[in-house]
Amino acid sequence: MAALMHAPAEQANIAALETALLLEAVFQRFGHDYRAHDQATIARKLRVLMEARALGTVSALQEQVLHSDGVAQQLLRALAVEPEGPFDDPAFVRELRSVLAASLHASPLPKIWLAECGAATEAWALAIVLAEQQLDARAEIYATVADEARLLEMREATVPEHAVVQWHHLYRQGGGSGNLAEFFEFADGRARLRAQLRAQLRARIVWFHYSLVTDASFNEFQAIVCSSILPTLGPAMRQRALGLFHDSLARFGVLAIDGQLLPGDAHAHCYQAIGAQRNWYKRVA
């Protein structure tokens, strides 16, 4: 009877051990470090994926992850930081407006890299900001995503109509001067960018499959925005990503990251902090 009473606790300990081993395997195999993330959140995400794949244990999931690229991508997608709404951080959007206006107007064809774009709405918000700064006609946006299936979804994404209403107040707090709904068209309770803006977006945005963990620098940019992935990378992969940004950023270009550059970070001495939030940097060397 005592053994039966301790069974749930023992099962919980085994599940925690299995989860630790899985996260270590993800770090060693793919470079993404979720070992220090909130374990309750990790466990919830793993349960959803395990139920979808009819798996009874985390160890069974780990076996599939290590031997199937498709399952590995599903896991990385499940563990990814859930994207915020496009205007959820008004202070960041205000700085986005001022930094891009100051940095890009002198460039005849400014290029902006959205590295590991979290959601289609992130690109929409950037497109709206560029339009309001009168930069949309000549700026080029490169939105990269490591998950190819998610990339396909972003290209045709819509959002619930009520989301646009909820975003409007935050949009105004972030320096928006118009009516956010004017940028959208609505049908069957869903919203997407208006046709004219979508046409500009299609002409100026390039969506493609790209991994900060494995791929090389592919262009020179006047601005790079990476708003979610760095905290998920292990130390070596973080330095690799920062090295990629440095190799890809023009001198006097601007870099936005989710956090601050640390003294030991790759090429940190080449950057000057700008803006009140101290996660915007200008390359000065």
Side-chain angles (χ1 to χ4, degrees), residues 96-107 133 135 254 282:
L96 176 70
R97 292 178 185 277
S98 62
V99 169
L100 294 187
S103 304
L104 300 186
H105 272 293
S107 177
Q133 298 296 326
L135 286 164
V254 292
K282 176 180 284 189

Side-chain angles (χ1 to χ4, degrees), residues 30-77:
F30 305 105
H32 292 272
D33 193 355
Y34 293 96
R35 296 173 298 179
H37 285 223
D38 180 71
Q39 293 303 295
T41 301
I42 293 290
R44 173 179 57 80
K45 292 180 176 181
L46 292 180
R47 283 196 300 271
V48 172
L49 182 56
M50 289 165 58
E51 290 173 2
R53 300 197 61 80
L55 298 174
T57 65
V58 177
S59 293
L61 176 61
Q62 177 177 315
E63 181 179 3
Q64 293 191 4
V65 165
L66 292 178
H67 295 282
S68 169
D69 289 342
V71 180
Q73 289 302 317
Q74 289 180 19
L75 175 66
L76 292 175
R77 185 177 186 181

Side-chain angles (χ1 to χ4, degrees), residues 32-238:
H32 292 272
D33 193 355
Y34 293 96
R35 296 173 298 179
H37 285 223
D38 180 71
Q39 293 303 295
T41 301
I42 293 290
R44 173 179 57 80
K45 292 180 176 181
L46 292 180
R47 283 196 300 271
V48 172
L49 182 56
M50 289 165 58
E51 290 173 2
R53 300 197 61 80
L55 298 174
T57 65
V58 177
S59 293
L61 176 61
Q62 177 177 315
E63 181 179 3
Q64 293 191 4
V65 165
L66 292 178
H67 295 282
S68 169
D69 289 342
V71 180
Q73 289 302 317
Q74 289 180 19
L75 175 66
L76 292 175
R77 185 177 186 181
L79 293 179
V81 177
E82 296 175 1
E84 297 180 340
F87 300 99
D88 279 358
D89 188 346
F92 176 81
V93 177
R94 285 195 301 272
E95 287 199 343
L96 176 70
R97 292 178 185 277
S98 62
V99 169
L100 294 187
S103 304
L104 300 186
H105 272 293
S107 177
L109 190 63
K111 295 181 175 65
I112 306 165
W113 179 12
L114 281 179
E116 193 56 26
C117 182
T121 51
E122 185 178 345
W124 294 359
L126 178 57
I128 290 169
V129 167
L130 291 174
E132 292 185 327
Q133 298 296 326
Q134 299 182 336
L135 286 164
D136 56 311
R138 55 193 177 90
E140 292 184 345
I141 304 169
Y142 291 73
T144 63
V145 184
D147 183 342
E148 198 163 7
R150 188 157 58 95
L151 179 65
L152 294 174
E153 293 175 3
M154 288 185 186
R155 285 175 171 154
E156 300 300 328
T158 63
V159 296
E161 183 175 341
H162 65 79
V164 177
V165 177
Q166 294 172 349
W167 293 337
H168 177 74
H169 178 64
L170 295 169
Y171 155 79
R172 295 301 295 267
Q173 285 186 329
S177 57
N179 180 356
L180 184 62
E182 293 177 356
F183 290 97
F184 291 85
E185 58 191 19
F186 304 92
D188 300 322
R190 306 291 295 181
R192 63 188 306 177
L193 289 180
R194 285 195 179 278
Q196 181 179 2
L197 190 55
R198 288 205 313 277
Q200 293 172 357
L201 191 62
R202 288 194 185 102
R204 292 296 180 185
I205 195 167
V206 180
W207 293 89
F208 63 97
H209 183 221
Y210 179 91
S211 171
L212 292 174
V213 174
T214 58
D215 293 330
S217 176
F218 63 97
N219 212 324
E220 182 179 77
F221 298 93
Q222 284 65 52
I224 298 175
V225 179
C226 181
S227 60
S228 64
I229 196 173
L230 286 184
T232 77
L233 299 181
M237 289 299 102
R238 173 185 170 86

